[in-house]
Amino acid sequence: MDDWTEEIVIEDRTLTVRPIREDDVDRLRRLFYRLSPETVYWRFFQPVKQPSEKLLHHLAEVDHDLRQAIVAELDDELIAVVRYDRTSASSIAEVAVLVEDAWQGHGVGRKLLRRLAADALEHGVTEMSATVLGQNQRALRLAHHVAPDTHGQLDQGEWLLDFHLPAAGTGVRSA
């Protein structure tokens, strides 16, 4: 398991950034109930009234290689999660971002996505992809801000995005 923490300052608040842990199941549950129905829909592509225990455990229990998740934490509560999933030998990972409504638009997603990209490179990932609902302009802007060379294709109301991860230290915007 990855065992590191970093601190970032957003809106004069210090957030702890770290890999997700198996004991984050309850924190994920509490985060879910602080999300608006719109944010839940944009993340899961369907309305979800309550997350199942199976889903919560799946999201919290990752191997930090083929499946990685990085969280931002404030006062022992998760406020954001970014993750990637890939199949065994693939160098392509599917990425997902979830930021609590109150923290959206403040740069948390950008900072976490950049950290996730750096981690992914260390684990052999060279390309990331994401599926984004067509109306989710904030997610589209995030992808293009972090990786200006993001390619997108609209397919039945969903954007299929992909971008190559640059060699360490180049290409992914840091600000």
Side-chain angles (χ1 to χ4, degrees):
M1 177 173 134
D2 285 357
D3 189 24
W4 54 265
T5 62
E6 297 175 1
E7 291 186 345
I8 61 172
V9 177
I10 305 268
E11 302 290 316
D12 295 325
R13 305 287 304 267
T14 300
L15 308 178
T16 300
V17 175
R18 61 170 174 79
I20 201 163
R21 302 184 307 242
E22 291 182 11
D23 69 352
D24 281 324
V25 168
D26 287 333
R27 287 179 195 87
L28 282 172
R29 182 182 296 106
R30 291 191 301 267
L31 170 61
F32 178 86
Y33 288 114
R34 292 191 310 270
L35 301 173
S36 70
E38 181 179 53
T39 294
V40 171
Y41 187 79
W42 282 349
R43 170 59 181 91
F44 297 103
F45 291 34
Q46 63 185 354
V48 178
K49 296 285 185 203
Q50 71 180 47
S52 69
E53 286 301 306
K54 182 178 179 180
L55 174 62
L56 291 169
H57 282 273
H58 174 76
L59 294 173
E61 297 165 2
V62 301
D63 66 5
H64 303 286
D65 178 23
L66 298 178
R67 296 182 59 238
Q68 174 65 298
I70 295 174
V71 301
E73 185 177 44
L74 176 67
D75 300 329
D76 200 39
E77 291 295 336
L78 301 184
I79 64 160
V81 183
V82 296
R83 66 178 55 252
Y84 72 73
D85 289 87
R86 64 183 173 135
T87 57
S88 60
S90 179
S91 62
I92 303 170
E94 174 80 13
V95 66
V97 177
L98 177 69
V99 178
E100 184 178 342
D101 293 63
W103 286 92
Q104 292 176 11
H106 297 281
V108 177
R110 283 193 310 267
K111 289 183 182 284
L112 290 183
L113 192 53
R114 282 192 298 274
R115 180 59 177 91
L116 183 72
D119 187 87
L121 275 169
E122 292 174 10
H123 289 93
V125 174
T126 59
E127 185 176 337
M128 290 189 151
S129 65
T131 303
V132 175
L133 290 174
Q135 311 92 318
N136 193 345
Q137 294 299 310
R138 187 170 270 167
L140 294 170
R141 283 191 306 270
L142 171 64
H144 288 282
H145 181 84
V146 173
D149 67 336
T150 297
H151 300 282
Q153 177 181 345
L154 188 61
D155 182 23
Q156 299 182 7
E158 296 176 352
W159 281 101
L160 308 175
L161 305 177
D162 66 85
F163 62 91
H164 292 278
L165 296 178
T170 66
V172 173
R173 287 190 185 169
S174 59

